Amino acid sequence: MAQYFELHPDNPQARLIKQAVALLQRGGVAAIPTDSSYALACQLDDRDAVELMRRIRQVDDKHHLTLLCRDLSELSSYAKVDNRQYRLLKAATPGAYTFLLEATKEVPRRVSHPQRKTIGLRVPDHKVLQALLAEHGAPLLATTFIPPGEDEPLNDAAEIRSRYEKVLAAVVDAGACNLEPTTVVDLTPMDGGDDPVVIRQGRGSLEALGLQG
């Protein structure tokens, strides 16, 4: 049964942050707020939690999961980033962007794309999520919380609890999130000197990256 945490969006209560992270560290899957929409999240190295997260979403191993990182230095430990890619990342973080990059050996193979060996990474601009990441001391693996057969992500924590309390360890309520998903940009073409490719235009501004849709 999911534990329900109501946190202040600007000044999250440290005691509740610690309790929510403890549930994640014990192998739970949590619904958490982000700067784009609510997401499912778990520990990176917990095989069973990752599989549960995929079952809830009903996605296979070809669906890109995303690492939520505290900052660019943490991101660069989990993805291979050259100088050109780094400049673009610096212009867009923190913010509502997800970047596809080649995963390093720090990323378990079972969570990267099976053919491309890529992973989604992002640095969110959300105080509650940043507090969760700081308390956890490492990235969290996440996916936008879009229920199977639906087109829009869930945005109401109380609804998430009523629909999924039997499978989630925690629901972190910090108020309504934006309903618009992140902008997804594939940076791997830059490895060969090509331009990045916009996979999905979402909340993050392409103009801030010097890109067009």
Side-chain angles (χ1 to χ4, degrees):
M1 193 68 71
Q3 290 196 37
Y4 193 74
F5 300 97
E6 290 187 76
L7 285 100
H8 191 283
D10 295 317
N11 297 291
Q13 302 92 313
R15 175 180 58 87
L16 300 182
I17 290 288
K18 287 179 181 293
Q19 291 175 8
V21 168
L23 292 170
L24 287 165
Q25 292 175 342
R26 289 202 293 266
V29 174
I32 61 171
T34 80
D35 51 348
S36 59
S37 62
Y38 272 87
L40 293 169
C42 69
Q43 289 195 104
L44 172 62
D45 58 357
D46 193 313
R47 182 191 299 268
D48 291 340
V50 174
E51 289 310 308
L52 174 58
M53 196 163 69
R54 284 184 166 135
R55 286 200 304 273
I56 294 171
R57 279 289 319 271
Q58 293 186 17
V59 295
D60 61 19
D61 61 358
K62 296 179 180 62
H63 178 86
H64 267 109
L65 300 174
T66 298
L67 272 182
L68 302 171
C69 300
R70 285 172 288 181
D71 52 35
L72 277 185
S73 62
E74 187 171 76
L75 182 152
S76 61
S77 297
Y78 295 87
K80 297 177 181 178
V81 180
D82 64 21
N83 289 337
R84 189 168 164 234
Q85 291 166 333
Y86 186 86
R87 285 194 296 271
L88 194 147
L89 289 166
K90 191 173 182 181
T93 55
Y97 300 89
T98 300
F99 297 100
L100 304 184
L101 287 156
E102 183 181 353
T104 67
K105 293 180 180 179
E106 297 296 318
V107 178
R109 291 188 65 180
R110 65 180 179 273
V111 303
S112 60
H113 191 280
Q115 281 83 44
R116 300 184 62 204
K117 308 304 182 220
T118 49
I119 185 79
L121 298 106
R122 82 185 202 85
V123 179
D125 186 13
H126 192 283
K127 290 181 180 178
V128 171
L129 180 47
Q130 281 287 350
L132 290 169
L133 293 172
E135 176 65 27
H136 181 50
L140 290 170
L141 194 66
T143 182
T144 304
F145 200 168
I146 303 174
E150 299 182 28
D151 297 323
E152 297 289 339
L154 294 176
N155 191 46
D156 182 88
E159 180 187 357
I160 293 172
R161 178 171 63 169
S162 67
R163 292 176 62 174
Y164 290 95
E165 64 180 354
K166 293 182 179 179
V167 293
L168 295 175
V171 177
V172 178
D173 182 356
C177 294
N178 290 280
L179 275 173
E180 195 172 10
T182 59
T183 292
V184 180
V185 183
D186 187 353
L187 299 188
T188 59
M190 298 176 77
D191 295 333
D194 293 325
D195 292 330
V197 175
V198 178
I199 304 298
R200 177 182 72 199
Q201 187 168 355
R203 184 160 181 255
S205 164
L206 293 179
E207 288 75 17
L209 305 180
L211 300 176
Q212 295 180 341

PDB file of all heavy atoms in Angstrom, residues 13-46:
ATOM      1  N   GLN A  13       9.496  19.361   3.221  1.00  0.00           N
ATOM      2  CA  GLN A  13       9.844  18.973   4.572  1.00  0.00           C
ATOM      3  C   GLN A  13      10.905  17.866   4.537  1.00  0.00           C
ATOM      4  O   GLN A  13      10.685  16.793   3.980  1.00  0.00           O
ATOM      5  CB  GLN A  13       8.588  18.476   5.298  1.00  0.00           C
ATOM      6  CG  GLN A  13       7.452  19.505   5.348  1.00  0.00           C
ATOM      7  CD  GLN A  13       6.468  19.393   4.187  1.00  0.00           C
ATOM      8  OE1 GLN A  13       6.866  19.286   3.038  1.00  0.00           O
ATOM      9  NE2 GLN A  13       5.178  19.397   4.509  1.00  0.00           N
ATOM     10  N   ALA A  14      12.030  18.108   5.177  1.00  0.00           N
ATOM     11  CA  ALA A  14      13.157  17.174   5.128  1.00  0.00           C
ATOM     12  C   ALA A  14      12.780  15.799   5.677  1.00  0.00           C
ATOM     13  O   ALA A  14      13.221  14.763   5.148  1.00  0.00           O
ATOM     14  CB  ALA A  14      14.339  17.747   5.904  1.00  0.00           C
ATOM     15  N   ARG A  15      11.961  15.775   6.713  1.00  0.00           N
ATOM     16  CA  ARG A  15      11.572  14.494   7.314  1.00  0.00           C
ATOM     17  C   ARG A  15      10.820  13.624   6.313  1.00  0.00           C
ATOM     18  O   ARG A  15      11.054  12.408   6.216  1.00  0.00           O
ATOM     19  CB  ARG A  15      10.701  14.758   8.552  1.00  0.00           C
ATOM     20  CG  ARG A  15      10.125  13.520   9.202  1.00  0.00           C
ATOM     21  CD  ARG A  15       9.282  13.906  10.417  1.00  0.00           C
ATOM     22  NE  ARG A  15       8.208  14.821  10.061  1.00  0.00           N
ATOM     23  CZ  ARG A  15       7.002  14.430   9.621  1.00  0.00           C
ATOM     24  NH1 ARG A  15       6.742  13.143   9.467  1.00  0.00           N
ATOM     25  NH2 ARG A  15       6.068  15.326   9.344  1.00  0.00           N
ATOM     26  N   LEU A  16       9.912  14.234   5.545  1.00  0.00           N
ATOM     27  CA  LEU A  16       9.139  13.483   4.562  1.00  0.00           C
ATOM     28  C   LEU A  16       9.999  13.068   3.373  1.00  0.00           C
ATOM     29  O   LEU A  16       9.811  11.987   2.815  1.00  0.00           O
ATOM     30  CB  LEU A  16       7.938  14.310   4.098  1.00  0.00           C
ATOM     31  CG  LEU A  16       6.944  14.717   5.194  1.00  0.00           C
ATOM     32  CD1 LEU A  16       5.780  15.491   4.602  1.00  0.00           C
ATOM     33  CD2 LEU A  16       6.457  13.501   5.962  1.00  0.00           C
ATOM     34  N   ILE A  17      10.934  13.931   2.989  1.00  0.00           N
ATOM     35  CA  ILE A  17      11.869  13.571   1.915  1.00  0.00           C
ATOM     36  C   ILE A  17      12.647  12.314   2.306  1.00  0.00           C
ATOM     37  O   ILE A  17      12.795  11.371   1.517  1.00  0.00           O
ATOM     38  CB  ILE A  17      12.838  14.735   1.616  1.00  0.00           C
ATOM     39  CG1 ILE A  17      12.087  15.901   0.940  1.00  0.00           C
ATOM     40  CG2 ILE A  17      14.003  14.265   0.755  1.00  0.00           C
ATOM     41  CD1 ILE A  17      11.667  15.646  -0.488  1.00  0.00           C
ATOM     42  N   LYS A  18      13.154  12.270   3.543  1.00  0.00           N
ATOM     43  CA  LYS A  18      13.913  11.112   4.018  1.00  0.00           C
ATOM     44  C   LYS A  18      13.060   9.852   4.003  1.00  0.00           C
ATOM     45  O   LYS A  18      13.525   8.770   3.601  1.00  0.00           O
ATOM     46  CB  LYS A  18      14.417  11.370   5.449  1.00  0.00           C
ATOM     47  CG  LYS A  18      15.556  12.360   5.555  1.00  0.00           C
ATOM     48  CD  LYS A  18      15.960  12.562   7.012  1.00  0.00           C
ATOM     49  CE  LYS A  18      17.089  13.572   7.156  1.00  0.00           C
ATOM     50  NZ  LYS A  18      18.342  13.095   6.574  1.00  0.00           N
ATOM     51  N   GLN A  19      11.804   9.966   4.406  1.00  0.00           N
ATOM     52  CA  GLN A  19      10.925   8.799   4.440  1.00  0.00           C
ATOM     53  C   GLN A  19      10.646   8.277   3.035  1.00  0.00           C
ATOM     54  O   GLN A  19      10.643   7.054   2.807  1.00  0.00           O
ATOM     55  CB  GLN A  19       9.624   9.154   5.158  1.00  0.00           C
ATOM     56  CG  GLN A  19       9.788   9.409   6.648  1.00  0.00           C
ATOM     57  CD  GLN A  19       8.500   9.878   7.310  1.00  0.00           C
ATOM     58  OE1 GLN A  19       7.437   9.887   6.693  1.00  0.00           O
ATOM     59  NE2 GLN A  19       8.595  10.280   8.573  1.00  0.00           N
ATOM     60  N   ALA A  20      10.403   9.195   2.098  1.00  0.00           N
ATOM     61  CA  ALA A  20      10.124   8.777   0.726  1.00  0.00           C
ATOM     62  C   ALA A  20      11.349   8.111   0.088  1.00  0.00           C
ATOM     63  O   ALA A  20      11.235   7.077  -0.585  1.00  0.00           O
ATOM     64  CB  ALA A  20       9.681   9.980  -0.104  1.00  0.00           C
ATOM     65  N   VAL A  21      12.520   8.683   0.319  1.00  0.00           N
ATOM     66  CA  VAL A  21      13.743   8.102  -0.246  1.00  0.00           C
ATOM     67  C   VAL A  21      14.032   6.740   0.376  1.00  0.00           C
ATOM     68  O   VAL A  21      14.494   5.817  -0.319  1.00  0.00           O
ATOM     69  CB  VAL A  21      14.929   9.067  -0.054  1.00  0.00           C
ATOM     70  CG1 VAL A  21      16.257   8.390  -0.368  1.00  0.00           C
ATOM     71  CG2 VAL A  21      14.742  10.296  -0.936  1.00  0.00           C
ATOM     72  N   ALA A  22      13.735   6.577   1.648  1.00  0.00           N
ATOM     73  CA  ALA A  22      13.946   5.273   2.291  1.00  0.00           C
ATOM     74  C   ALA A  22      13.122   4.183   1.604  1.00  0.00           C
ATOM     75  O   ALA A  22      13.593   3.044   1.448  1.00  0.00           O
ATOM     76  CB  ALA A  22      13.590   5.364   3.772  1.00  0.00           C
ATOM     77  N   LEU A  23      11.912   4.515   1.183  1.00  0.00           N
ATOM     78  CA  LEU A  23      11.085   3.541   0.482  1.00  0.00           C
ATOM     79  C   LEU A  23      11.682   3.189  -0.879  1.00  0.00           C
ATOM     80  O   LEU A  23      11.670   2.023  -1.293  1.00  0.00           O
ATOM     81  CB  LEU A  23       9.662   4.084   0.319  1.00  0.00           C
ATOM     82  CG  LEU A  23       8.862   4.225   1.620  1.00  0.00           C
ATOM     83  CD1 LEU A  23       7.564   4.984   1.370  1.00  0.00           C
ATOM     84  CD2 LEU A  23       8.563   2.853   2.224  1.00  0.00           C
ATOM     85  N   LEU A  24      12.220   4.188  -1.581  1.00  0.00           N
ATOM     86  CA  LEU A  24      12.899   3.920  -2.851  1.00  0.00           C
ATOM     87  C   LEU A  24      14.124   3.032  -2.628  1.00  0.00           C
ATOM     88  O   LEU A  24      14.373   2.097  -3.399  1.00  0.00           O
ATOM     89  CB  LEU A  24      13.317   5.237  -3.513  1.00  0.00           C
ATOM     90  CG  LEU A  24      12.198   6.085  -4.121  1.00  0.00           C
ATOM     91  CD1 LEU A  24      12.702   7.498  -4.397  1.00  0.00           C
ATOM     92  CD2 LEU A  24      11.690   5.455  -5.412  1.00  0.00           C
ATOM     93  N   GLN A  25      14.866   3.305  -1.587  1.00  0.00           N
ATOM     94  CA  GLN A  25      16.095   2.548  -1.337  1.00  0.00           C
ATOM     95  C   GLN A  25      15.813   1.133  -0.852  1.00  0.00           C
ATOM     96  O   GLN A  25      16.704   0.277  -0.899  1.00  0.00           O
ATOM     97  CB  GLN A  25      16.963   3.310  -0.337  1.00  0.00           C
ATOM     98  CG  GLN A  25      17.515   4.607  -0.916  1.00  0.00           C
ATOM     99  CD  GLN A  25      18.290   5.450   0.071  1.00  0.00           C
ATOM    100  OE1 GLN A  25      18.165   5.260   1.286  1.00  0.00           O
ATOM    101  NE2 GLN A  25      19.101   6.374  -0.427  1.00  0.00           N
ATOM    102  N   ARG A  26      14.572   0.888  -0.432  1.00  0.00           N
ATOM    103  CA  ARG A  26      14.186  -0.481  -0.073  1.00  0.00           C
ATOM    104  C   ARG A  26      13.585  -1.218  -1.264  1.00  0.00           C
ATOM    105  O   ARG A  26      13.032  -2.312  -1.100  1.00  0.00           O
ATOM    106  CB  ARG A  26      13.195  -0.461   1.095  1.00  0.00           C
ATOM    107  CG  ARG A  26      13.831  -0.047   2.418  1.00  0.00           C
ATOM    108  CD  ARG A  26      13.029  -0.537   3.622  1.00  0.00           C
ATOM    109  NE  ARG A  26      11.729   0.116   3.729  1.00  0.00           N
ATOM    110  CZ  ARG A  26      11.519   1.205   4.465  1.00  0.00           C
ATOM    111  NH1 ARG A  26      12.513   1.774   5.118  1.00  0.00           N
ATOM    112  NH2 ARG A  26      10.307   1.727   4.534  1.00  0.00           N
ATOM    113  N   GLY A  27      13.674  -0.632  -2.446  1.00  0.00           N
ATOM    114  CA  GLY A  27      13.235  -1.326  -3.652  1.00  0.00           C
ATOM    115  C   GLY A  27      11.869  -0.939  -4.164  1.00  0.00           C
ATOM    116  O   GLY A  27      11.323  -1.604  -5.048  1.00  0.00           O
ATOM    117  N   GLY A  28      11.306   0.136  -3.636  1.00  0.00           N
ATOM    118  CA  GLY A  28       9.977   0.551  -4.070  1.00  0.00           C
ATOM    119  C   GLY A  28       9.997   1.398  -5.326  1.00  0.00           C
ATOM    120  O   GLY A  28      11.021   1.963  -5.716  1.00  0.00           O
ATOM    121  N   VAL A  29       8.834   1.480  -5.964  1.00  0.00           N
ATOM    122  CA  VAL A  29       8.590   2.395  -7.081  1.00  0.00           C
ATOM    123  C   VAL A  29       7.684   3.508  -6.566  1.00  0.00           C
ATOM    124  O   VAL A  29       6.683   3.236  -5.890  1.00  0.00           O
ATOM    125  CB  VAL A  29       7.931   1.679  -8.282  1.00  0.00           C
ATOM    126  CG1 VAL A  29       7.558   2.679  -9.377  1.00  0.00           C
ATOM    127  CG2 VAL A  29       8.862   0.611  -8.835  1.00  0.00           C
ATOM    128  N   ALA A  30       8.033   4.756  -6.871  1.00  0.00           N
ATOM    129  CA  ALA A  30       7.284   5.908  -6.368  1.00  0.00           C
ATOM    130  C   ALA A  30       6.785   6.762  -7.525  1.00  0.00           C
ATOM    131  O   ALA A  30       7.420   6.825  -8.579  1.00  0.00           O
ATOM    132  CB  ALA A  30       8.141   6.756  -5.437  1.00  0.00           C
ATOM    133  N   ALA A  31       5.654   7.409  -7.303  1.00  0.00           N
ATOM    134  CA  ALA A  31       5.186   8.460  -8.212  1.00  0.00           C
ATOM    135  C   ALA A  31       5.698   9.778  -7.665  1.00  0.00           C
ATOM    136  O   ALA A  31       5.460  10.109  -6.493  1.00  0.00           O
ATOM    137  CB  ALA A  31       3.663   8.476  -8.287  1.00  0.00           C
ATOM    138  N   ILE A  32       6.433  10.529  -8.498  1.00  0.00           N
ATOM    139  CA  ILE A  32       7.085  11.755  -8.028  1.00  0.00           C
ATOM    140  C   ILE A  32       6.767  12.914  -8.974  1.00  0.00           C
ATOM    141  O   ILE A  32       6.562  12.714 -10.168  1.00  0.00           O
ATOM    142  CB  ILE A  32       8.606  11.568  -7.918  1.00  0.00           C
ATOM    143  CG1 ILE A  32       9.206  11.239  -9.291  1.00  0.00           C
ATOM    144  CG2 ILE A  32       8.947  10.487  -6.892  1.00  0.00           C
ATOM    145  CD1 ILE A  32      10.713  11.257  -9.323  1.00  0.00           C
ATOM    146  N   PRO A  33       6.773  14.145  -8.451  1.00  0.00           N
ATOM    147  CA  PRO A  33       6.550  15.304  -9.311  1.00  0.00           C
ATOM    148  C   PRO A  33       7.842  15.693 -10.027  1.00  0.00           C
ATOM    149  O   PRO A  33       8.942  15.496  -9.509  1.00  0.00           O
ATOM    150  CB  PRO A  33       6.132  16.396  -8.323  1.00  0.00           C
ATOM    151  CG  PRO A  33       6.855  16.029  -7.058  1.00  0.00           C
ATOM    152  CD  PRO A  33       6.923  14.528  -7.029  1.00  0.00           C
ATOM    153  N   THR A  34       7.700  16.257 -11.230  1.00  0.00           N
ATOM    154  CA  THR A  34       8.845  16.809 -11.950  1.00  0.00           C
ATOM    155  C   THR A  34       8.435  18.156 -12.535  1.00  0.00           C
ATOM    156  O   THR A  34       7.295  18.591 -12.384  1.00  0.00           O
ATOM    157  CB  THR A  34       9.313  15.881 -13.101  1.00  0.00           C
ATOM    158  OG1 THR A  34       8.467  16.053 -14.236  1.00  0.00           O
ATOM    159  CG2 THR A  34       9.323  14.421 -12.687  1.00  0.00           C
ATOM    160  N   ASP A  35       9.364  18.786 -13.244  1.00  0.00           N
ATOM    161  CA  ASP A  35       9.054  20.074 -13.863  1.00  0.00           C
ATOM    162  C   ASP A  35       8.298  19.926 -15.172  1.00  0.00           C
ATOM    163  O   ASP A  35       8.009  20.922 -15.835  1.00  0.00           O
ATOM    164  CB  ASP A  35      10.326  20.897 -14.071  1.00  0.00           C
ATOM    165  CG  ASP A  35      11.421  20.118 -14.776  1.00  0.00           C
ATOM    166  OD1 ASP A  35      11.293  18.891 -14.908  1.00  0.00           O
ATOM    167  OD2 ASP A  35      12.424  20.736 -15.179  1.00  0.00           O
ATOM    168  N   SER A  36       7.953  18.680 -15.552  1.00  0.00           N
ATOM    169  CA  SER A  36       7.112  18.499 -16.741  1.00  0.00           C
ATOM    170  C   SER A  36       5.806  17.814 -16.370  1.00  0.00           C
ATOM    171  O   SER A  36       4.732  18.313 -16.650  1.00  0.00           O
ATOM    172  CB  SER A  36       7.860  17.702 -17.816  1.00  0.00           C
ATOM    173  OG  SER A  36       8.251  16.434 -17.329  1.00  0.00           O
ATOM    174  N   SER A  37       5.865  16.660 -15.727  1.00  0.00           N
ATOM    175  CA  SER A  37       4.656  15.954 -15.310  1.00  0.00           C
ATOM    176  C   SER A  37       5.045  14.968 -14.215  1.00  0.00           C
ATOM    177  O   SER A  37       6.221  14.848 -13.869  1.00  0.00           O
ATOM    178  CB  SER A  37       4.034  15.202 -16.497  1.00  0.00           C
ATOM    179  OG  SER A  37       4.943  14.220 -16.981  1.00  0.00           O
ATOM    180  N   TYR A  38       4.077  14.265 -13.660  1.00  0.00           N
ATOM    181  CA  TYR A  38       4.413  13.231 -12.693  1.00  0.00           C
ATOM    182  C   TYR A  38       5.119  12.077 -13.400  1.00  0.00           C
ATOM    183  O   TYR A  38       4.872  11.799 -14.578  1.00  0.00           O
ATOM    184  CB  TYR A  38       3.170  12.727 -11.963  1.00  0.00           C
ATOM    185  CG  TYR A  38       2.852  13.552 -10.735  1.00  0.00           C
ATOM    186  CD1 TYR A  38       2.064  14.697 -10.828  1.00  0.00           C
ATOM    187  CD2 TYR A  38       3.367  13.217  -9.486  1.00  0.00           C
ATOM    188  CE1 TYR A  38       1.801  15.485  -9.710  1.00  0.00           C
ATOM    189  CE2 TYR A  38       3.108  13.991  -8.362  1.00  0.00           C
ATOM    190  CZ  TYR A  38       2.329  15.118  -8.482  1.00  0.00           C
ATOM    191  OH  TYR A  38       2.084  15.898  -7.379  1.00  0.00           O
ATOM    192  N   ALA A  39       6.015  11.430 -12.664  1.00  0.00           N
ATOM    193  CA  ALA A  39       6.799  10.334 -13.223  1.00  0.00           C
ATOM    194  C   ALA A  39       6.829   9.182 -12.237  1.00  0.00           C
ATOM    195  O   ALA A  39       6.587   9.348 -11.043  1.00  0.00           O
ATOM    196  CB  ALA A  39       8.227  10.804 -13.520  1.00  0.00           C
ATOM    197  N   LEU A  40       7.128   7.996 -12.752  1.00  0.00           N
ATOM    198  CA  LEU A  40       7.454   6.852 -11.921  1.00  0.00           C
ATOM    199  C   LEU A  40       8.967   6.826 -11.748  1.00  0.00           C
ATOM    200  O   LEU A  40       9.705   7.107 -12.686  1.00  0.00           O
ATOM    201  CB  LEU A  40       6.989   5.554 -12.582  1.00  0.00           C
ATOM    202  CG  LEU A  40       5.485   5.357 -12.719  1.00  0.00           C
ATOM    203  CD1 LEU A  40       5.195   4.167 -13.617  1.00  0.00           C
ATOM    204  CD2 LEU A  40       4.840   5.160 -11.347  1.00  0.00           C
ATOM    205  N   ALA A  41       9.433   6.462 -10.562  1.00  0.00           N
ATOM    206  CA  ALA A  41      10.875   6.461 -10.317  1.00  0.00           C
ATOM    207  C   ALA A  41      11.258   5.313  -9.403  1.00  0.00           C
ATOM    208  O   ALA A  41      10.465   4.853  -8.565  1.00  0.00           O
ATOM    209  CB  ALA A  41      11.318   7.785  -9.693  1.00  0.00           C
ATOM    210  N   CYS A  42      12.507   4.849  -9.585  1.00  0.00           N
ATOM    211  CA  CYS A  42      13.055   3.801  -8.732  1.00  0.00           C
ATOM    212  C   CYS A  42      14.578   3.921  -8.732  1.00  0.00           C
ATOM    213  O   CYS A  42      15.153   4.740  -9.461  1.00  0.00           O
ATOM    214  CB  CYS A  42      12.618   2.418  -9.199  1.00  0.00           C
ATOM    215  SG  CYS A  42      13.337   1.884 -10.767  1.00  0.00           S
ATOM    216  N   GLN A  43      15.227   3.086  -7.946  1.00  0.00           N
ATOM    217  CA  GLN A  43      16.682   3.050  -7.941  1.00  0.00           C
ATOM    218  C   GLN A  43      17.201   2.504  -9.268  1.00  0.00           C
ATOM    219  O   GLN A  43      16.608   1.593  -9.847  1.00  0.00           O
ATOM    220  CB  GLN A  43      17.202   2.175  -6.807  1.00  0.00           C
ATOM    221  CG  GLN A  43      17.032   2.751  -5.423  1.00  0.00           C
ATOM    222  CD  GLN A  43      17.884   2.009  -4.408  1.00  0.00           C
ATOM    223  OE1 GLN A  43      18.911   2.507  -3.998  1.00  0.00           O
ATOM    224  NE2 GLN A  43      17.447   0.827  -4.005  1.00  0.00           N
ATOM    225  N   LEU A  44      18.338   3.003  -9.700  1.00  0.00           N
ATOM    226  CA  LEU A  44      18.922   2.581 -10.961  1.00  0.00           C
ATOM    227  C   LEU A  44      19.308   1.111 -10.952  1.00  0.00           C
ATOM    228  O   LEU A  44      19.119   0.402 -11.942  1.00  0.00           O
ATOM    229  CB  LEU A  44      20.147   3.454 -11.268  1.00  0.00           C
ATOM    230  CG  LEU A  44      21.018   3.043 -12.459  1.00  0.00           C
ATOM    231  CD1 LEU A  44      20.225   3.083 -13.755  1.00  0.00           C
ATOM    232  CD2 LEU A  44      22.248   3.952 -12.541  1.00  0.00           C
ATOM    233  N   ASP A  45      19.863   0.635  -9.837  1.00  0.00           N
ATOM    234  CA  ASP A  45      20.452  -0.703  -9.812  1.00  0.00           C
ATOM    235  C   ASP A  45      19.527  -1.768  -9.230  1.00  0.00           C
ATOM    236  O   ASP A  45      19.985  -2.848  -8.840  1.00  0.00           O
ATOM    237  CB  ASP A  45      21.775  -0.687  -9.043  1.00  0.00           C
ATOM    238  CG  ASP A  45      21.603  -0.178  -7.616  1.00  0.00           C
ATOM    239  OD1 ASP A  45      20.469   0.209  -7.253  1.00  0.00           O
ATOM    240  OD2 ASP A  45      22.600  -0.161  -6.872  1.00  0.00           O
ATOM    241  N   ASP A  46      18.244  -1.497  -9.164  1.00  0.00           N
ATOM    242  CA  ASP A  46      17.286  -2.445  -8.600  1.00  0.00           C
ATOM    243  C   ASP A  46      16.495  -3.102  -9.726  1.00  0.00           C
ATOM    244  O   ASP A  46      15.545  -2.529 -10.263  1.00  0.00           O
ATOM    245  CB  ASP A  46      16.346  -1.728  -7.623  1.00  0.00           C
ATOM    246  CG  ASP A  46      15.535  -2.698  -6.775  1.00  0.00           C
ATOM    247  OD1 ASP A  46      14.971  -3.655  -7.335  1.00  0.00           O
ATOM    248  OD2 ASP A  46      15.468  -2.494  -5.550  1.00  0.00           O
TER     249      ASP A  46
END
